């Protein structure tokens, strides 16, 4: 084999070895320089406590963070709480074998809106008033925003990605609506372009800084047990709760129960009461920002708390029918029983607005038919069990199709 071939191979290895030596030397030098200027800080990244070592420089609320490569986990869209301020990572520098860099901008505005479920959402964001960088944060070149325009950058998450055009916000006592969205899901950011809009004093809540406040869901929390509720030791009971949103019952509400005296009674996440000893206490029932108290007295004698509910439509159109189902409870536990339905006006008098066309006492159902004589109003559907101890009712509106 040609000796020149071996010489070329040896030279290649020598060059490669020199390159590795140079890279290691440079990496060590940068690491020494980095460590000499390093600052160890306690932060929260996406609400998780962390301690990181950084070298940073700040300019106009824009922070350039340099970390060692082994801490290369700051990504666009990350929320960083540092020194009582919230920062949003808006840019990740290209990978570097020597050092890792990211750009953070200080959040200067809490973006608030009513989502499609009627709930208030609030997230810290970066609001650009007159101009914003269009060429990266290290250059001084900027893009002027037209009068009456704003731009917002916010973390991409399950709520912000649902923001669509024409969603309105209150910014500095002015109304703005979304005219363009840029969902940079791969970069963890959502960019919103806003245009000025008219304030509507009927719909907008300037005090809270929330536009279209009329879309906020109205919740009701109903405890169907007797209050106070009398129980006895060794008795099983359940807190029977209904949660309504805008007049309609939520099928699977998020409810929290807490006992003020767990030595006396405890309550699980389903509202089942476990009695430990006699005495008096109360349970707090919480759902969607509403709290109610149920006072409980545990006595040595057995007590029965009967209740009944009716499920079905809130409205029936003229000459139409709707079916309703009753449920019976004893101390909050559902029981089997026979039912009897009846209809009245709001004042309890007989009604001509609707009639019961059929009912099944065993299945606990009935069918209500609205009148065909164009009579509109509200009726009360009543139900009771066989012994008359469990009673319930439901308001039904008779409405016109027009």
């Amino acid at each position: 084999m040609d000796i020149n071939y071996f010489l070329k191979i040896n030279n290649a290895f020598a060059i490669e070895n020199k390159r590795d030596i140079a890279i290691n030397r440079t990496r060590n030098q940068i690491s020494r320089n980095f460590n000499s200027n390093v600052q160890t800080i306690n932060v929260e990244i996406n609400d998780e406590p962390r301690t990181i070592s950084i070298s940073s420089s700040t300019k106009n609320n824009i922070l350039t963070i340099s970390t060692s490569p082994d801490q290369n986990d700051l990504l666009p869209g990350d929320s960083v709480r540092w020194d009582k301020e919230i920062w949003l990572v808006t840019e990740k520098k290209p990978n570097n074998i020597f050092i890792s860099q990211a750009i953070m901008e200080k959040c200067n505005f809490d973006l608030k809106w009513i989502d499609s479920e009627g709930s208030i959402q609030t997230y810290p964001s970066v609001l650009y008033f007159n101009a914003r960088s269009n060429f990266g944060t290290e250059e001084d070149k900027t893009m002027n925003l037209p009068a009456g325009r704003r731009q917002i950058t916010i973390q991409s998450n399950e709520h912000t990605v649902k923001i669509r055009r024409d969603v309105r916000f209150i910014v500095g006592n002015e109304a703005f609506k979304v005219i363009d969205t840029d969902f940079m899901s791969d970069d963890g950011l959502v960019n919103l372009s806003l245009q000025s809009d008219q304030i509507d004093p009927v719909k907008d809540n300037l005090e809270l800084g929330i536009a279209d406040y009329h879309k906020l869901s109205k919740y009701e929390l109903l405890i169907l047990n007797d209050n106070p509720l009398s129980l006895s030791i060794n008795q099983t009971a359940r807190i029977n709760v209904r949660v309504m949103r805008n007049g309609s019952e939520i099928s699977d509400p998020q409810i929290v129960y807490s006992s003020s005296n767990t030595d006396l009674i405890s309550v699980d996440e389903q509202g089942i009461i476990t009695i430990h000893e006699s005495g008096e206490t109360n349970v707090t029932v919480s759902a969607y920002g509403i709290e109610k108290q149920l006072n409980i007295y545990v006595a040595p004698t057995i007590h029965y708390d009967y209740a009944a509910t009716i499920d079905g439509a809130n409205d029936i159109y003229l000459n139409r029918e709707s079916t309703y189902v009753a449920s019976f409870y004893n101390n909050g536990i559902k029981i089997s029983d026979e039912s009897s339905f009846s209809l009245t006006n709001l004042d309890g008098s007989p009604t001509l607005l609707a009639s019961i066309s059929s009912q099944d006492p065993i299945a606990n159902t009935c069918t209500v038919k609205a009148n065909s004589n164009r009579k509109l109003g509200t009726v009360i559907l009543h139900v009771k069990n066989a012994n008359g101890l469990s009673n319930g009712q439901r308001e039904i509106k008779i409405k016109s199709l027009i």
Side-chain angles (χ1 to χ4, degrees), residues 155-366:
Q155 180 188 66
S156 176
N157 57 49
E158 60 176 323
H159 299 294
T160 59
V161 296
K162 296 178 182 177
I163 298 175
R164 295 293 181 261
R165 291 188 180 186
D166 294 328
V167 172
R168 300 172 67 249
F169 305 103
I170 300 297
V171 181
N173 290 325
E174 295 183 64
F176 289 83
K177 68 177 179 180
V178 177
I179 58 173
D180 193 20
T181 57
D182 179 13
F183 298 97
M184 303 173 63
S185 57
D186 291 341
D187 292 334
L189 299 170
V190 172
N191 289 317
L192 304 174
S193 296
L194 311 181
Q195 180 176 284
S196 61
D197 194 28
Q198 292 292 324
I199 288 285
D200 188 334
V202 176
K203 298 179 179 180
D204 301 332
N205 190 324
L206 291 178
E207 182 179 355
L208 296 179
I210 302 175
D212 295 320
Y213 193 73
H214 67 291
K215 295 180 179 179
L216 180 68
S217 292
K218 305 300 188 296
Y219 290 95
E220 293 178 85
L221 176 61
L222 308 175
I223 299 178
L224 304 182
N225 307 78
D226 286 343
N227 197 357
L229 176 61
S230 296
L231 300 171
S232 64
I233 294 178
N234 302 323
Q235 188 173 5
T236 301
R238 179 176 182 174
I239 302 176
N240 197 2
V241 177
R242 273 190 164 187
V243 181
M244 314 291 287
R245 181 171 61 201
N246 299 331
S248 298
E249 184 176 1
I250 300 176
S251 60
D252 187 21
Q254 304 299 311
I255 304 172
V256 177
Y257 305 90
S258 60
S259 170
S260 63
N261 187 348
T262 55
D263 291 333
L264 196 154
I265 67 167
S266 55
V267 187
D268 68 11
E269 59 184 14
Q270 302 300 321
I272 301 295
I273 297 173
T274 300
I275 300 172
H276 305 295
E277 60 182 61
S278 61
E280 293 185 48
T281 186
N282 60 72
V283 171
T284 300
V285 183
S286 307
Y288 304 94
I290 305 174
E291 285 191 356
K292 286 197 173 182
Q293 301 248 322
L294 175 63
N295 298 315
I296 298 176
Y297 171 67
V298 180
T301 59
I302 296 177
H303 177 83
Y304 298 100
D305 171 32
Y306 293 102
T309 62
I310 302 174
D311 294 310
N314 294 323
D315 312 309
I316 305 178
Y317 292 109
L318 290 171
N319 204 30
R320 299 286 180 86
E321 292 183 335
S322 187
T323 299
Y324 295 84
V325 180
S327 299
F328 299 106
Y329 300 89
N330 181 13
N331 293 321
I333 305 298
K334 191 172 183 179
I335 59 175
S336 297
D337 208 333
E338 294 187 12
S339 60
S340 176
F341 291 89
S342 60
L343 276 173
T344 68
N345 287 317
L346 287 173
D347 60 3
S349 62
T351 182
L352 298 176
L353 296 176
S355 60
I356 296 177
S357 58
S358 66
Q359 60 177 304
D360 185 335
I362 305 301
N364 303 138
T365 63
C366 82

Side-chain angles (χ1 to χ4, degrees), residues 72-169:
N72 184 18
D73 54 0
L74 281 179
L75 299 173
D78 283 345
S79 174
V80 181
R81 183 182 294 273
W82 176 28
D83 195 23
K84 299 181 181 180
E85 302 284 354
I86 298 178
W87 301 73
L88 183 66
V89 180
T90 56
E91 186 178 344
K92 178 72 174 178
K93 293 294 185 179
N95 291 337
N96 189 309
I97 62 175
F98 303 116
I99 204 166
S100 175
Q101 286 189 317
I103 306 297
M104 299 196 308
E105 298 188 50
K106 185 184 293 185
C107 293
N108 57 358
F109 181 66
D110 286 332
L111 190 66
K112 303 177 183 178
W113 74 98
I114 307 295
D115 66 15
S116 58
E117 300 297 322
S119 300
I120 298 176
Q121 299 296 338
T122 303
Y123 284 95
S125 67
V126 181
L127 172 65
Y128 304 96
F129 288 88
N130 300 315
R132 69 160 295 176
S133 170
N134 192 39
F135 303 93
T137 51
E138 293 187 64
E139 291 82 3
D140 292 328
K141 300 177 182 179
T142 58
M143 172 184 65
N144 290 322
L145 296 174
R149 297 287 183 90
R150 300 288 186 271
Q151 192 154 355
I152 286 177
T153 298
I154 195 169
Q155 180 188 66
S156 176
N157 57 49
E158 60 176 323
H159 299 294
T160 59
V161 296
K162 296 178 182 177
I163 298 175
R164 295 293 181 261
R165 291 188 180 186
D166 294 328
V167 172
R168 300 172 67 249
F169 305 103

Side-chain angles (χ1 to χ4, degrees), residues 31-54:
S31 179
R32 284 193 296 272
N33 293 339
F34 177 81
N35 291 330
S36 64
N37 297 289
V38 78
Q39 178 185 8
T40 300
I41 61 174
N42 295 318
V43 300
E44 290 182 12
I45 300 177
N46 298 326
D47 297 324
E48 293 291 332
R50 289 277 305 278
T51 299
I52 61 175
S53 300
I54 67 167

